[in-house]
Amino acid sequence: SRDPALAVEFARAGADAGAVAAMVLTPHALGADDEALTRFYRELHEQGGIAVMLQNAPPPMGLGLDLER
């Protein structure tokens, strides 16, 4: 979800179920906005109560971030 609040709910549910990390796909809606992507993942990590792993899948699934980003 591109909505950090919903992603936080999912992360907390995973943590409550015993997960130690959440793999989260890059949200399409945030596209090439690096600042928005940074805020999304930072907020998710800070509020989710679980470690976050960025899943960088190529289009059409994800954004296909290159190493320079």
Side-chain angles (χ1 to χ4, degrees):
S1 169
R2 73 180 196 163
D3 178 7
L6 185 55
V8 166
E9 285 183 44
F10 288 141
R12 285 184 181 157
D16 289 346
V20 296
M23 183 182 295
V24 182
L25 188 62
T26 50
H28 277 283
L30 300 180
D33 186 341
D34 289 344
E35 289 181 23
L37 285 168
T38 299
R39 279 191 308 273
F40 173 82
Y41 282 105
R42 181 175 289 131
E43 199 171 312
L44 179 57
H45 172 69
E46 290 172 353
Q47 297 178 22
I50 196 168
V52 176
M53 180 188 328
L54 187 152
Q55 183 181 12
N56 185 26
M61 272 184 79
L63 296 177
L65 302 176
D66 57 34
L67 293 176
E68 287 76 37
R69 289 181 74 189

